[in-house]
Amino acid sequence: QVQLVESGGGLVQPGGSLRLSCAASGRFFSIAAMGWYRQPPGKERELVASMSSVGATFYRDSVKGRFTISRDNVKNTVYLQMNSLTPEDTAVYYCNAGVKPTMLASPKDYWGQGTQVTVSS
Protein backbone atom coordinates (compact mmCIF):
# COMPACT_ATOMS: atom_id res chain seq x y z
CA GLN A 1 0.00 0.00 0.00
CA VAL A 2 0.87 3.68 -0.27
CA GLN A 3 0.87 6.33 2.43
CA LEU A 4 0.72 10.08 1.79
CA VAL A 5 1.92 12.23 4.69
CA GLU A 6 1.18 15.96 4.60
CA SER A 7 2.76 18.82 6.53
CA GLY A 8 3.05 22.60 6.51
CA GLY A 9 -0.44 23.81 7.37
CA GLY A 10 -1.17 26.40 10.01
CA LEU A 11 -2.53 29.85 10.84
CA VAL A 12 -1.28 32.85 8.84
CA GLN A 13 -2.30 36.47 8.34
CA PRO A 14 -3.73 37.73 5.05
CA GLY A 15 -0.89 38.37 2.62
CA GLY A 16 1.26 35.73 4.26
CA SER A 17 2.76 32.55 2.85
CA LEU A 18 2.83 28.84 3.59
CA ARG A 19 4.46 25.85 1.94
CA LEU A 20 2.72 22.49 2.06
CA SER A 21 4.58 19.21 1.60
CA CYS A 22 3.32 15.72 0.83
CA ALA A 23 5.58 12.67 0.79
CA ALA A 24 4.57 9.29 -0.65
CA SER A 25 5.96 6.10 0.84
CA GLY A 26 5.44 2.38 0.30
CA ARG A 27 6.03 -0.15 -2.45
CA PHE A 28 5.03 0.93 -5.96
CA PHE A 29 6.40 1.22 -9.49
CA SER A 30 5.95 4.94 -10.04
CA ILE A 31 3.73 7.94 -9.37
CA ALA A 32 1.86 9.62 -12.19
CA ALA A 33 0.09 12.88 -11.35
CA MET A 34 0.31 14.51 -7.91
CA GLY A 35 -1.84 17.38 -6.76
CA TRP A 36 -3.57 19.35 -4.08
CA TYR A 37 -7.28 19.64 -3.35
CA ARG A 38 -8.96 21.76 -0.70
CA GLN A 39 -12.30 21.77 1.09
CA PRO A 40 -13.53 24.99 2.75
CA PRO A 41 -15.96 24.60 5.67
CA GLY A 42 -19.39 23.56 4.42
CA LYS A 43 -18.27 23.42 0.78
CA GLU A 44 -17.30 20.82 -1.78
CA ARG A 45 -13.74 19.61 -2.30
CA GLU A 46 -12.04 21.35 -5.24
CA LEU A 47 -8.83 20.86 -7.20
CA VAL A 48 -6.23 23.54 -6.45
CA ALA A 49 -3.20 22.48 -8.50
CA SER A 50 -1.68 19.36 -10.03
CA MET A 51 1.50 18.26 -11.77
CA SER A 52 2.24 15.27 -13.99
CA SER A 53 5.34 13.11 -13.66
CA VAL A 54 6.99 15.09 -16.47
CA GLY A 55 6.14 18.56 -15.18
CA ALA A 56 2.84 19.57 -16.83
CA THR A 57 0.90 21.76 -14.39
CA PHE A 58 -2.66 22.87 -13.78
CA TYR A 59 -3.95 25.66 -11.51
CA ARG A 60 -7.48 26.74 -10.77
CA ASP A 61 -8.07 30.36 -11.77
CA SER A 62 -8.36 31.72 -8.23
CA VAL A 63 -4.78 30.69 -7.31
CA LYS A 64 -2.94 31.46 -10.55
CA GLY A 65 -0.02 33.80 -9.92
CA ARG A 66 -0.13 33.13 -6.17
CA PHE A 67 0.42 29.38 -5.77
CA THR A 68 3.21 27.25 -7.24
CA ILE A 69 3.22 23.45 -7.35
CA SER A 70 6.47 21.52 -7.58
CA ARG A 71 7.64 17.96 -7.03
CA ASP A 72 10.77 15.99 -6.28
CA ASN A 73 10.57 12.62 -8.04
CA VAL A 74 13.55 11.25 -6.11
CA LYS A 75 11.89 11.95 -2.76
CA ASN A 76 8.38 11.21 -4.11
CA THR A 77 7.27 14.51 -2.64
CA VAL A 78 4.98 17.25 -3.94
CA TYR A 79 4.96 20.83 -2.63
CA LEU A 80 2.53 23.72 -2.78
CA GLN A 81 3.99 27.19 -2.23
CA MET A 82 1.14 29.54 -1.30
CA ASN A 83 1.75 33.30 -1.40
CA SER A 84 -0.52 36.33 -0.94
CA LEU A 85 -2.98 34.25 1.05
CA THR A 86 -6.51 35.51 1.63
CA PRO A 87 -9.28 34.36 3.99
CA GLU A 88 -10.92 32.67 0.97
CA ASP A 89 -7.97 30.25 0.93
CA THR A 90 -8.99 28.90 4.35
CA ALA A 91 -9.67 25.18 3.97
CA VAL A 92 -8.46 21.69 4.70
CA TYR A 93 -5.88 20.89 2.03
CA TYR A 94 -5.56 17.30 0.78
CA CYS A 95 -2.68 15.75 -1.11
CA ASN A 96 -3.59 13.40 -3.96
CA ALA A 97 -1.44 11.02 -6.02
CA GLY A 98 -2.00 8.56 -8.85
CA VAL A 99 0.23 5.62 -7.99
CA LYS A 100 1.17 2.79 -10.39
CA PRO A 101 1.77 -0.45 -8.45
CA THR A 102 3.40 -2.06 -11.52
CA MET A 103 4.63 -0.82 -14.89
CA LEU A 104 1.51 -1.97 -16.79
CA ALA A 105 -1.09 -1.15 -14.13
CA SER A 106 -3.28 1.92 -14.29
CA PRO A 107 -2.66 4.55 -11.60
CA LYS A 108 -4.64 4.11 -8.40
CA ASP A 109 -5.87 7.10 -6.42
CA TYR A 110 -4.49 7.83 -2.93
CA TRP A 111 -5.26 10.66 -0.52
CA GLY A 112 -3.48 12.28 2.39
CA GLN A 113 -5.08 12.89 5.77
CA GLY A 114 -5.52 16.61 5.17
CA THR A 115 -3.86 19.65 6.74
CA GLN A 116 -5.68 22.76 7.98
CA VAL A 117 -4.82 26.15 6.47
CA THR A 118 -6.40 29.14 8.19
CA VAL A 119 -5.93 32.70 6.90
CA SER A 120 -7.14 35.28 9.41
CA SER A 121 -6.15 38.72 10.67
Side-chain angles (χ1 to χ4, degrees):
Q1 282 281 25
V2 178
Q3 189 82 27
L4 301 181
V5 180
E6 305 171 5
S7 63
L11 173 64
V12 297
Q13 295 181 343
S17 298
L18 284 174
R19 190 180 79 153
L20 306 182
S21 300
C22 173
S25 62
R27 296 181 66 86
F28 51 85
F29 177 75
S30 66
I31 300 176
M34 300 187 78
W36 294 92
Y37 289 72
R38 68 186 182 187
Q39 188 165 20
K43 296 186 178 180
E44 206 169 271
R45 185 177 299 185
E46 62 187 22
L47 176 63
V48 179
S50 64
M51 177 176 282
S52 75
S53 61
V54 294
T57 59
F58 168 85
Y59 298 93
R60 70 180 300 107
D61 287 344
S62 61
V63 308
K64 288 180 179 177
R66 300 189 298 121
F67 291 11
T68 302
I69 189 170
S70 60
R71 63 188 285 180
D72 185 333
N73 290 330
V74 175
K75 297 181 178 179
N76 294 316
T77 300
V78 64
Y79 307 92
L80 186 67
Q81 179 66 47
M82 304 185 293
N83 299 327
S84 302
L85 286 162
T86 75
E88 288 69 41
D89 296 314
T90 296
V92 178
Y93 284 69
Y94 296 92
C95 177
N96 173 263
V99 180
K100 298 186 66 171
T102 64
M103 182 178 66
L104 267 53
S106 299
K108 300 183 184 301
D109 208 38
Y110 288 88
W111 293 88
Q113 298 278 348
T115 184
Q116 177 70 49
V117 172
T118 302
V119 185
S120 180
S121 59

